[in-house]
Amino acid sequence: MSTEVTGKTACILCAANCGVEITARDRRFVRIRGDKEHPHSAGYTCEKALRLDHYQNGRDRLTSPLRRRPDGGYEEIDWDTAIAEIAERLARVRDVHGGDKIFYYGGGAQGNHLGGSYSRALLQALGAKYRSNALAREKTGEMWVDGQLYGGHTAADLEHAEVVVLVGNNPWQSHQFPRARPWLRELAADPDRTLIVFDPRRSETAAMADFHLRVRPGTDAWCLAAMLGVLVQEDLVDHEFLDQHTTGAEPVLELLAEVPVADYAGRCGVPEDLIRAAARRIGTAGSVAEHEDLGIQQGPHSTLCSYLAKLLWILTGNFAKRGAMSLHSWLVPLASPGREGRSPVTGARIIAGYLPCNSIAEEIRTDHPERFRAMIVESANPVSSLADARRFREAMRALDLTVVVDVAFTETAREADYVLPAASQFEKWEATFFTLEFPRNAFHLRAPILEPLPGTLPEPEIHARLLRALDAVDESVLAPLRDAAEQGREKFAEAFFATVATDPGLMRMAPHILYETLGPTLPDGARAAAALWGAAHLCAMTNPDAVRRAGFAGGDELFDAILTSRSGVVFTVDDYPDTWHYVRHADRRFRLEIGELLDELRGLTGAEASWVSTDFPFVLSAGERRSFTANALYRDPAWRRRDAEGALRISPDDAERLGLDTGGRARIVTERGAAEAVVEVSDMMQPGHISLPNGYGLDYPGGDGEPVATGVALNELTSLLRRDPIAGTPWHKHVPARVEPLAATRVEVS
Ligand SMILES: Nc1nc2c(c(=O)[nH]1)N[C@H]1C(S)=C(S)[C@@H](COP(=O)(O)OP(=O)(O)OC[C@H]3O[C@@H](n4cnc5c(=O)[nH]c(N)nc54)[C@H](O)[C@@H]3O)O[C@H]1N2
Ligand SMILES: Nc1nc2c(c(=O)[nH]1)N[C@H]1C(S)=C(S)[C@@H](COP(=O)(O)OP(=O)(O)OC[C@H]3O[C@@H](n4cnc5c(=O)[nH]c(N)nc54)[C@H](O)[C@@H]3O)O[C@H]1N2
Ligand code: SF4
Ligand SMILES: [Mo]
């Protein structure tokens, strides 16, 4: 008999995390539609969400723990064996080399951070110190700048802004924030509002812009500096704002007063008139909101660009008002701004607690005594997604122990000593901690729609089993809390806070303690939500007014709402003046002077604005978001209706010169590797710039069960060494390359 279930959840493909309602028949997703009650997406989804069955029912889903045999193959083992062996081997690394030699990577992709919150307790128990994830190959430069300027993360009021500035992102395809496409259409149709886009490509978004600053690839720093130069030199600066709310403005203004605007316009290839007109529009607007992404975060001068992009709205006083920028609340902060340090082997800068992804392999492939010895990878596929896949594979094989937790048998799993199969994001309680909105910020705890696939476990349970095997928290601590939890939430709160007051060290184990004590009392098997009880209390303590305005008297009420609302909960409602409370500096002022970046800015005058050579004359942007890309979350190439192989986009001029046609084939050669792709001649591209999509080249079982890869695996082509000098983030958008035509059969591209 066929069974059908329907439930509310969210799309897990990008940071917008639109609310959806899914109907499953015999575990296949047969209907998916937007959830109108979701606080942010309000019924909107893009097309990609409709294909979530490809994630849920991929043919390479894992269903048993795997252990690598000496011959390199994998054998299935039971969970008890896997947990006992992994705990024993982790403990051995800790005891012999020190817990800080155990490195943790991942903890959540685009839809799942709940498991990652429990991993913190595991790392604590092991004494592990170093970790990283996707943020440290895209956002850490911006986070470093944020940390210095105000110590928080900003939300852009894109919905109400009179002028919207997008620096290196293409939300028509990448979304990342609620209702991106309807929002763009409304913005473009409104004669009183203006869209300014920085992109070397005439992307779908750039084509809708009022001002398209079509920079030469990698030269945004000059373009941004020129715009800031215009603002200062034509005195379009909000001096009152700078006086009242900032320190260190003088040296910044002095430097910008000297920017040779015409010269920099030439360097970035944008007409000076256009730069001046766009700057004047920003300088005279009622409100300006700015959003940046990979186009600058994964290219030359990326950290400097983040700084300059923020100065556009800071110098014009576009903060803490409607249509402008604001610092926002978090349910749980995704990062710790200001938590800095250095990596143990190469001394790479750790930003907001994350070691730069481009340095991980270098921290392993060495005989340095401080090198990492073991690595846990959870909810991430670094072999596919980090620069220089070959180096990462070698690094994994050089470790004493590697454990990968994933739903699928990924490129990274294929290098691990142990592979642990996770329940999918529709088979367990799950949530993301992308709570990035202002003034109404929302959090969505998602209930499972299906039972876990036999053989799989949710990550919180995997962590709990490892922690039990490690005897991480004594039963004498847990038993009384379990009793208290049986007697109700109030008694539990009393007992829990009393326990951590007597032994503050236990606070770091809080997620695990909550899972073991409060967890079993939660309704509908929502044990994994236990850590959110602590998060809700912390949030209510940190932002009492904003939580009260959202309708909650305290942490327990907020927690109950999170637990019972299937479409997500608005957990804070802020007022504009409140946003100043989120400035970390004691004087609540922005600190504008960042010496290192001002030096880099000064150096632009004499710096080269080109990184190509005669051997590698093109700039390859390795990782364009398109209609049919979704990171590495859809592994089955059959999900794509078009662009099956992921075409190499090239300008008409270059194509003609090289004798290439749409549907023909070309070889792309870089410093690190070579690949073949089908060609699409596209007037989106400017001469000298080529582009390949992300999310291709993944191994997937073909008809005979053997893995086949479709399209280019980008990180076989990228180098660890091309990276930002401050944040260490990779130049995925700026890979020097050459293109060689191949004579072969033509392929239908679209
Ligand atoms: N469809 C789809 N959506 C996604 C994803 C996906 O895989 N597929 N992934 C999600 C994730 S993880 C992320 S981080 C976001 C990324 O979202 P975006 O950053 O918006 O996406 P990209 O296409 O990588 O890059 C944006 C633009 O940068 C431009 N660019 C290239 N070089 C330069 C340059 O030198 N300067 C400037 N100014 N621009 C440049 C490219 O032409 C491109 O149009 O997308 C998310 N959304
Ligand atoms: N060259 C190049 N490289 C890039 C980029 C680029 O533009 N160009 N973009 C970069 C960016 S911005 C990003 S964000 C990344 C993304 O790269 P990654 O962070 O490595 O990963 P994702 O593709 O988001 O997928 C994460 C993994 O989580 C697994 N997964 C899904 N659900 C679950 C679950 O419930 N539990 C567990 N344990 N695992 C699960 C998936 O199978 C997948 O293997 O790629 C980066 N790499
Ligand atoms: S915008 Fe992002 S979260 Fe929303 S449906 Fe599309 S891919 Fe999913
Ligand atoms: Mo990303």
Short mmCIF file of all heavy atoms in Angstrom, two decimals, residues 68 89-90 92-93 97-105 345 359-366 368-377 382-383 391-404 412 415-418:
data_model
loop_
_atom_site.label_atom_id
_atom_site.label_comp_id
_atom_site.label_asym_id
_atom_site.label_seq_id
_atom_site.Cartn_x
_atom_site.Cartn_y
_atom_site.Cartn_z
N ARG A 68 37.58 1.96 5.71
CA ARG A 68 38.47 1.65 4.59
C ARG A 68 39.35 0.46 4.93
O ARG A 68 39.94 0.39 6.00
CB ARG A 68 39.33 2.84 4.19
CG ARG A 68 39.93 2.57 2.82
CD ARG A 68 40.59 3.72 2.12
NE ARG A 68 41.64 4.28 2.90
CZ ARG A 68 41.81 5.57 3.02
NH1 ARG A 68 41.00 6.41 2.44
NH2 ARG A 68 42.81 6.04 3.74
N ARG A 89 40.21 5.85 18.41
CA ARG A 89 41.32 6.41 17.63
C ARG A 89 41.46 7.92 17.82
O ARG A 89 42.56 8.47 17.81
CB ARG A 89 41.15 6.04 16.15
CG ARG A 89 41.42 4.53 15.95
CD ARG A 89 41.34 4.10 14.52
NE ARG A 89 42.33 4.76 13.67
CZ ARG A 89 42.45 4.53 12.36
NH1 ARG A 89 41.64 3.65 11.78
NH2 ARG A 89 43.36 5.16 11.65
N LEU A 90 40.33 8.62 17.99
CA LEU A 90 40.41 10.06 18.29
C LEU A 90 41.10 10.27 19.64
O LEU A 90 41.96 11.15 19.79
CB LEU A 90 39.01 10.68 18.33
CG LEU A 90 38.33 10.93 16.97
CD1 LEU A 90 36.86 11.30 17.17
CD2 LEU A 90 39.05 12.02 16.17
N ARG A 92 43.19 8.37 21.01
CA ARG A 92 44.62 8.06 20.89
C ARG A 92 45.38 9.27 20.32
O ARG A 92 46.44 9.65 20.81
CB ARG A 92 44.83 6.82 20.02
CG ARG A 92 46.19 6.17 20.30
CD ARG A 92 46.50 5.00 19.37
NE ARG A 92 45.36 4.13 19.13
CZ ARG A 92 45.14 3.48 17.97
NH1 ARG A 92 45.99 3.60 16.96
NH2 ARG A 92 44.09 2.70 17.83
N VAL A 93 44.85 9.88 19.28
CA VAL A 93 45.50 11.08 18.71
C VAL A 93 45.61 12.14 19.79
O VAL A 93 46.66 12.78 19.97
CB VAL A 93 44.71 11.62 17.49
CG1 VAL A 93 45.31 12.95 17.02
CG2 VAL A 93 44.70 10.61 16.36
N HIS A 97 49.35 13.03 20.65
CA HIS A 97 49.82 14.27 20.01
C HIS A 97 49.19 15.53 20.59
O HIS A 97 49.65 16.64 20.32
CB HIS A 97 49.52 14.23 18.51
CG HIS A 97 50.16 13.07 17.80
ND1 HIS A 97 51.52 12.99 17.62
CD2 HIS A 97 49.63 11.96 17.25
CE1 HIS A 97 51.79 11.86 16.97
NE2 HIS A 97 50.66 11.22 16.74
N GLY A 98 48.09 15.38 21.31
CA GLY A 98 47.36 16.56 21.82
C GLY A 98 46.08 16.76 21.03
O GLY A 98 46.06 16.57 19.81
N GLY A 99 45.03 17.16 21.75
CA GLY A 99 43.71 17.32 21.12
C GLY A 99 43.72 18.40 20.04
O GLY A 99 42.91 18.36 19.11
N ASP A 100 44.64 19.36 20.15
CA ASP A 100 44.66 20.43 19.14
C ASP A 100 45.19 19.95 17.79
O ASP A 100 45.22 20.71 16.83
CB ASP A 100 45.48 21.63 19.65
CG ASP A 100 46.92 21.25 19.96
OD1 ASP A 100 47.22 20.05 20.07
OD2 ASP A 100 47.75 22.17 20.10
N LYS A 101 45.55 18.68 17.71
CA LYS A 101 45.97 18.13 16.40
C LYS A 101 44.79 17.49 15.67
O LYS A 101 44.93 16.91 14.59
CB LYS A 101 47.07 17.08 16.58
CG LYS A 101 48.27 17.55 17.41
CD LYS A 101 48.91 18.78 16.83
CE LYS A 101 50.10 19.26 17.65
NZ LYS A 101 49.84 19.49 19.08
N ILE A 102 43.61 17.59 16.29
CA ILE A 102 42.39 17.09 15.63
C ILE A 102 41.69 18.29 15.01
O ILE A 102 41.31 19.22 15.72
CB ILE A 102 41.46 16.37 16.63
CG1 ILE A 102 42.20 15.19 17.26
CG2 ILE A 102 40.18 15.92 15.94
CD1 ILE A 102 41.46 14.55 18.43
N PHE A 103 41.56 18.26 13.71
CA PHE A 103 40.99 19.40 12.98
C PHE A 103 39.56 19.07 12.58
O PHE A 103 39.25 17.94 12.20
CB PHE A 103 41.85 19.69 11.74
CG PHE A 103 41.41 20.89 10.96
CD1 PHE A 103 41.61 22.17 11.49
CD2 PHE A 103 40.81 20.76 9.73
CE1 PHE A 103 41.20 23.30 10.78
CE2 PHE A 103 40.40 21.88 9.01
CZ PHE A 103 40.60 23.15 9.54
N TYR A 104 38.69 20.08 12.67
CA TYR A 104 37.28 19.87 12.33
C TYR A 104 36.91 20.76 11.17
O TYR A 104 37.16 21.97 11.19
CB TYR A 104 36.41 20.19 13.55
CG TYR A 104 34.93 20.06 13.30
CD1 TYR A 104 34.29 18.82 13.42
CD2 TYR A 104 34.16 21.16 12.95
CE1 TYR A 104 32.93 18.69 13.19
CE2 TYR A 104 32.80 21.04 12.73
CZ TYR A 104 32.19 19.81 12.84
OH TYR A 104 30.84 19.70 12.62
N TYR A 105 36.31 20.17 10.14
CA TYR A 105 35.90 20.96 8.97
C TYR A 105 34.41 20.78 8.70
O TYR A 105 33.92 19.66 8.63
CB TYR A 105 36.70 20.53 7.72
CG TYR A 105 36.38 21.45 6.58
CD1 TYR A 105 37.04 22.67 6.45
CD2 TYR A 105 35.36 21.15 5.69
CE1 TYR A 105 36.69 23.56 5.45
CE2 TYR A 105 35.01 22.04 4.68
CZ TYR A 105 35.69 23.25 4.57
OH TYR A 105 35.34 24.14 3.60
N VAL A 345 51.00 25.81 12.06
CA VAL A 345 52.17 25.51 11.23
C VAL A 345 52.57 26.71 10.38
O VAL A 345 53.72 27.17 10.43
CB VAL A 345 51.91 24.27 10.33
CG1 VAL A 345 53.05 24.07 9.34
CG2 VAL A 345 51.72 23.03 11.19
N SER A 359 44.74 27.13 3.59
CA SER A 359 45.92 26.74 4.36
C SER A 359 45.82 25.33 4.94
O SER A 359 46.81 24.81 5.45
CB SER A 359 46.15 27.71 5.52
OG SER A 359 46.35 29.01 5.02
N ILE A 360 44.63 24.71 4.88
CA ILE A 360 44.46 23.44 5.59
C ILE A 360 45.47 22.38 5.13
O ILE A 360 46.16 21.76 5.94
CB ILE A 360 43.01 22.91 5.42
CG1 ILE A 360 42.02 23.91 6.03
CG2 ILE A 360 42.85 21.54 6.08
CD1 ILE A 360 40.57 23.61 5.71
N ALA A 361 45.58 22.22 3.81
CA ALA A 361 46.50 21.19 3.30
C ALA A 361 47.94 21.48 3.75
O ALA A 361 48.69 20.56 4.08
CB ALA A 361 46.41 21.10 1.78
N GLU A 362 48.29 22.78 3.79
CA GLU A 362 49.66 23.14 4.20
C GLU A 362 49.90 22.86 5.69
O GLU A 362 51.05 22.71 6.11
CB GLU A 362 49.90 24.64 3.94
CG GLU A 362 49.86 25.01 2.47
CD GLU A 362 49.87 26.53 2.27
OE1 GLU A 362 49.76 27.28 3.25
OE2 GLU A 362 49.98 26.94 1.10
N GLU A 363 48.82 22.81 6.47
CA GLU A 363 48.96 22.53 7.91
C GLU A 363 49.11 21.03 8.15
O GLU A 363 49.33 20.60 9.27
CB GLU A 363 47.73 23.05 8.67
CG GLU A 363 47.50 24.55 8.57
CD GLU A 363 48.44 25.37 9.44
OE1 GLU A 363 48.82 24.89 10.53
OE2 GLU A 363 48.80 26.49 9.02
N ILE A 364 48.92 20.24 7.10
CA ILE A 364 48.97 18.78 7.23
C ILE A 364 50.18 18.19 6.51
O ILE A 364 50.92 17.37 7.05
CB ILE A 364 47.67 18.16 6.63
CG1 ILE A 364 46.44 18.62 7.43
CG2 ILE A 364 47.77 16.63 6.59
CD1 ILE A 364 45.12 18.29 6.78
N ARG A 365 50.42 18.66 5.27
CA ARG A 365 51.48 18.08 4.44
C ARG A 365 52.82 18.69 4.80
O ARG A 365 53.42 19.45 4.03
CB ARG A 365 51.15 18.33 2.96
CG ARG A 365 49.92 17.61 2.50
CD ARG A 365 50.21 16.19 2.13
NE ARG A 365 50.99 16.13 0.90
CZ ARG A 365 51.76 15.12 0.54
NH1 ARG A 365 51.90 14.09 1.35
NH2 ARG A 365 52.40 15.13 -0.59
N THR A 366 53.34 18.33 5.96
CA THR A 366 54.60 18.90 6.45
C THR A 366 55.09 17.96 7.55
O THR A 366 54.31 17.16 8.06
CB THR A 366 54.36 20.31 7.03
OG1 THR A 366 55.46 20.67 7.87
CG2 THR A 366 53.12 20.37 7.90
N HIS A 368 56.38 19.30 10.26
CA HIS A 368 56.31 20.20 11.41
C HIS A 368 55.64 19.48 12.59
O HIS A 368 54.61 18.82 12.41
CB HIS A 368 55.49 21.43 11.00
CG HIS A 368 55.61 22.58 11.95
ND1 HIS A 368 55.04 22.57 13.19
CD2 HIS A 368 56.22 23.79 11.82
CE1 HIS A 368 55.30 23.72 13.79
NE2 HIS A 368 56.03 24.48 12.98
N PRO A 369 56.21 19.58 13.80
CA PRO A 369 55.63 18.84 14.93
C PRO A 369 54.20 19.26 15.28
O PRO A 369 53.47 18.49 15.89
CB PRO A 369 56.58 19.15 16.10
CG PRO A 369 57.38 20.35 15.66
CD PRO A 369 57.44 20.30 14.18
N GLU A 370 53.84 20.47 14.91
CA GLU A 370 52.49 20.95 15.26
C GLU A 370 51.44 20.57 14.22
O GLU A 370 50.31 21.04 14.29
CB GLU A 370 52.50 22.48 15.43
CG GLU A 370 53.38 22.98 16.57
CD GLU A 370 52.88 22.49 17.92
OE1 GLU A 370 51.67 22.59 18.19
OE2 GLU A 370 53.71 21.98 18.70
N ARG A 371 51.81 19.77 13.23
CA ARG A 371 50.86 19.49 12.15
C ARG A 371 49.63 18.74 12.66
O ARG A 371 49.69 18.04 13.67
CB ARG A 371 51.54 18.68 11.05
CG ARG A 371 51.92 17.27 11.45
CD ARG A 371 52.72 16.61 10.34
NE ARG A 371 53.10 15.24 10.66
CZ ARG A 371 54.17 14.89 11.37
NH1 ARG A 371 54.98 15.83 11.86
NH2 ARG A 371 54.46 13.62 11.60
N PHE A 372 48.52 18.91 11.92
CA PHE A 372 47.32 18.17 12.27
C PHE A 372 47.53 16.68 12.02
O PHE A 372 48.25 16.29 11.09
CB PHE A 372 46.12 18.66 11.45
CG PHE A 372 45.74 20.09 11.71
CD1 PHE A 372 45.44 20.96 10.67
CD2 PHE A 372 45.69 20.58 13.01
CE1 PHE A 372 45.10 22.29 10.92
CE2 PHE A 372 45.34 21.91 13.27
CZ PHE A 372 45.05 22.76 12.21
N ARG A 373 46.87 15.85 12.84
CA ARG A 373 47.00 14.40 12.71
C ARG A 373 45.69 13.72 12.35
O ARG A 373 45.68 12.57 11.92
CB ARG A 373 47.49 13.80 14.03
CG ARG A 373 48.75 14.43 14.59
CD ARG A 373 49.96 14.02 13.79
NE ARG A 373 51.16 14.62 14.33
CZ ARG A 373 52.35 14.03 14.35
NH1 ARG A 373 52.49 12.82 13.84
NH2 ARG A 373 53.37 14.65 14.85
N ALA A 374 44.59 14.38 12.65
CA ALA A 374 43.29 13.76 12.38
C ALA A 374 42.33 14.85 11.92
O ALA A 374 42.51 16.03 12.23
CB ALA A 374 42.75 13.09 13.64
N MET A 375 41.30 14.43 11.17
CA MET A 375 40.33 15.42 10.70
C MET A 375 38.95 14.80 10.67
O MET A 375 38.75 13.66 10.23
CB MET A 375 40.72 15.92 9.30
CG MET A 375 39.71 16.88 8.71
SD MET A 375 40.43 17.94 7.43
CE MET A 375 40.92 16.75 6.23
N ILE A 376 37.98 15.58 11.17
CA ILE A 376 36.58 15.20 11.06
C ILE A 376 35.95 16.17 10.07
O ILE A 376 36.11 17.38 10.20
CB ILE A 376 35.86 15.34 12.42
CG1 ILE A 376 36.58 14.50 13.49
CG2 ILE A 376 34.39 14.95 12.31
CD1 ILE A 376 36.10 14.78 14.91
N VAL A 377 35.28 15.62 9.06
CA VAL A 377 34.58 16.46 8.08
C VAL A 377 33.10 16.16 8.19
O VAL A 377 32.69 15.00 8.08
CB VAL A 377 35.06 16.15 6.64
CG1 VAL A 377 34.29 17.01 5.64
CG2 VAL A 377 36.56 16.37 6.49
N PRO A 382 35.00 19.04 0.98
CA PRO A 382 36.16 19.89 0.67
C PRO A 382 36.97 19.42 -0.53
O PRO A 382 37.57 20.26 -1.22
CB PRO A 382 36.99 19.87 1.96
CG PRO A 382 36.49 18.72 2.77
CD PRO A 382 35.05 18.54 2.37
N VAL A 383 37.02 18.13 -0.82
CA VAL A 383 37.79 17.70 -1.99
C VAL A 383 37.20 18.33 -3.24
O VAL A 383 37.92 18.70 -4.16
CB VAL A 383 37.83 16.15 -2.11
CG1 VAL A 383 38.38 15.72 -3.46
CG2 VAL A 383 38.67 15.55 -0.98
N ARG A 391 45.79 18.48 -3.85
CA ARG A 391 46.50 18.71 -2.59
C ARG A 391 45.66 18.28 -1.39
O ARG A 391 46.17 17.76 -0.41
CB ARG A 391 46.86 20.21 -2.44
CG ARG A 391 47.91 20.67 -3.40
CD ARG A 391 49.30 20.19 -3.03
NE ARG A 391 49.82 20.84 -1.83
CZ ARG A 391 50.91 20.44 -1.19
NH1 ARG A 391 51.58 19.39 -1.62
NH2 ARG A 391 51.32 21.08 -0.12
N PHE A 392 44.35 18.52 -1.48
CA PHE A 392 43.50 18.17 -0.35
C PHE A 392 43.40 16.65 -0.20
O PHE A 392 43.45 16.11 0.90
CB PHE A 392 42.11 18.79 -0.47
CG PHE A 392 41.43 18.90 0.86
CD1 PHE A 392 41.66 19.99 1.68
CD2 PHE A 392 40.59 17.89 1.33
CE1 PHE A 392 41.07 20.08 2.94
CE2 PHE A 392 39.99 17.97 2.58
CZ PHE A 392 40.23 19.07 3.39
N ARG A 393 43.30 15.96 -1.34
CA ARG A 393 43.26 14.49 -1.28
C ARG A 393 44.54 13.96 -0.64
O ARG A 393 44.50 13.09 0.23
CB ARG A 393 43.15 13.91 -2.70
CG ARG A 393 41.74 13.77 -3.18
CD ARG A 393 41.74 12.97 -4.48
NE ARG A 393 40.85 13.60 -5.42
CZ ARG A 393 41.20 14.30 -6.49
NH1 ARG A 393 42.48 14.44 -6.81
NH2 ARG A 393 40.31 14.86 -7.24
N GLU A 394 45.69 14.49 -1.10
CA GLU A 394 46.97 14.05 -0.53
C GLU A 394 47.00 14.31 0.97
O GLU A 394 47.48 13.49 1.75
CB GLU A 394 48.13 14.80 -1.18
CG GLU A 394 48.42 14.41 -2.62
CD GLU A 394 49.33 15.43 -3.33
OE1 GLU A 394 49.83 16.38 -2.68
OE2 GLU A 394 49.50 15.27 -4.55
N ALA A 395 46.49 15.48 1.36
CA ALA A 395 46.50 15.83 2.78
C ALA A 395 45.66 14.83 3.57
O ALA A 395 46.08 14.35 4.64
CB ALA A 395 46.00 17.25 2.98
N MET A 396 44.49 14.49 3.05
CA MET A 396 43.64 13.54 3.78
C MET A 396 44.35 12.20 3.97
O MET A 396 44.29 11.59 5.03
CB MET A 396 42.31 13.34 3.04
CG MET A 396 41.34 14.50 3.26
SD MET A 396 39.71 14.19 2.57
CE MET A 396 39.00 13.04 3.75
N ARG A 397 45.03 11.77 2.92
CA ARG A 397 45.72 10.47 3.00
C ARG A 397 46.93 10.50 3.93
O ARG A 397 47.40 9.46 4.38
CB ARG A 397 46.14 10.01 1.60
CG ARG A 397 44.98 9.68 0.68
CD ARG A 397 44.13 8.55 1.24
NE ARG A 397 42.96 8.28 0.43
CZ ARG A 397 42.71 7.13 -0.17
NH1 ARG A 397 43.55 6.14 -0.07
NH2 ARG A 397 41.60 6.98 -0.87
N ALA A 398 47.43 11.72 4.19
CA ALA A 398 48.61 11.82 5.06
C ALA A 398 48.24 11.80 6.54
O ALA A 398 49.11 11.66 7.40
CB ALA A 398 49.38 13.11 4.73
N LEU A 399 46.97 11.93 6.85
CA LEU A 399 46.55 12.00 8.26
C LEU A 399 46.47 10.61 8.88
O LEU A 399 46.29 9.61 8.19
CB LEU A 399 45.19 12.69 8.36
CG LEU A 399 45.21 14.19 8.07
CD1 LEU A 399 43.81 14.71 7.76
CD2 LEU A 399 45.82 14.96 9.23
N ASP A 400 46.57 10.56 10.23
CA ASP A 400 46.43 9.28 10.94
C ASP A 400 44.99 8.80 10.93
O ASP A 400 44.72 7.60 11.03
CB ASP A 400 46.88 9.42 12.40
CG ASP A 400 48.35 9.80 12.52
OD1 ASP A 400 49.04 9.77 11.48
OD2 ASP A 400 48.78 10.14 13.63
N LEU A 401 44.06 9.74 10.88
CA LEU A 401 42.64 9.36 10.96
C LEU A 401 41.78 10.42 10.28
O LEU A 401 41.95 11.61 10.54
CB LEU A 401 42.22 9.25 12.44
CG LEU A 401 40.72 9.05 12.70
CD1 LEU A 401 40.26 7.69 12.17
CD2 LEU A 401 40.41 9.17 14.19
N THR A 402 40.88 9.97 9.41
CA THR A 402 39.91 10.90 8.80
C THR A 402 38.51 10.29 8.90
O THR A 402 38.31 9.11 8.60
CB THR A 402 40.23 11.17 7.32
OG1 THR A 402 40.47 9.92 6.68
CG2 THR A 402 41.42 12.08 7.15
N VAL A 403 37.57 11.11 9.32
CA VAL A 403 36.18 10.67 9.46
C VAL A 403 35.31 11.64 8.68
O VAL A 403 35.44 12.86 8.85
CB VAL A 403 35.73 10.70 10.94
CG1 VAL A 403 34.29 10.20 11.08
CG2 VAL A 403 36.68 9.87 11.80
N VAL A 404 34.45 11.13 7.82
CA VAL A 404 33.55 11.98 7.05
C VAL A 404 32.10 11.62 7.38
O VAL A 404 31.74 10.44 7.36
CB VAL A 404 33.81 11.80 5.53
CG1 VAL A 404 32.70 12.46 4.70
CG2 VAL A 404 35.16 12.40 5.15
N THR A 412 34.95 13.51 -1.07
CA THR A 412 35.69 13.56 0.19
C THR A 412 35.56 12.23 0.93
O THR A 412 36.54 11.73 1.49
CB THR A 412 35.18 14.73 1.06
OG1 THR A 412 35.23 15.92 0.27
CG2 THR A 412 36.04 14.92 2.29
N GLU A 415 38.00 9.48 0.28
CA GLU A 415 39.37 9.57 0.80
C GLU A 415 39.46 9.25 2.29
O GLU A 415 40.54 9.31 2.87
CB GLU A 415 39.93 10.99 0.58
CG GLU A 415 39.86 11.50 -0.85
CD GLU A 415 40.65 10.64 -1.83
OE1 GLU A 415 41.72 10.12 -1.44
OE2 GLU A 415 40.17 10.47 -2.97
N ALA A 416 38.31 8.96 2.93
CA ALA A 416 38.28 8.88 4.39
C ALA A 416 38.58 7.48 4.91
O ALA A 416 38.40 6.49 4.22
CB ALA A 416 36.91 9.31 4.89
N ASP A 417 39.03 7.42 6.19
CA ASP A 417 39.19 6.13 6.86
C ASP A 417 37.83 5.57 7.28
O ASP A 417 37.59 4.38 7.20
CB ASP A 417 40.08 6.29 8.09
CG ASP A 417 41.48 6.73 7.72
OD1 ASP A 417 41.99 6.24 6.70
OD2 ASP A 417 42.05 7.59 8.42
N TYR A 418 36.97 6.47 7.77
CA TYR A 418 35.61 6.07 8.16
C TYR A 418 34.61 7.02 7.52
O TYR A 418 34.84 8.23 7.48
CB TYR A 418 35.42 6.15 9.68
CG TYR A 418 36.23 5.12 10.43
CD1 TYR A 418 37.53 5.40 10.85
CD2 TYR A 418 35.69 3.85 10.72
CE1 TYR A 418 38.28 4.46 11.54
CE2 TYR A 418 36.43 2.91 11.41
CZ TYR A 418 37.73 3.22 11.81
OH TYR A 418 38.45 2.28 12.49
#
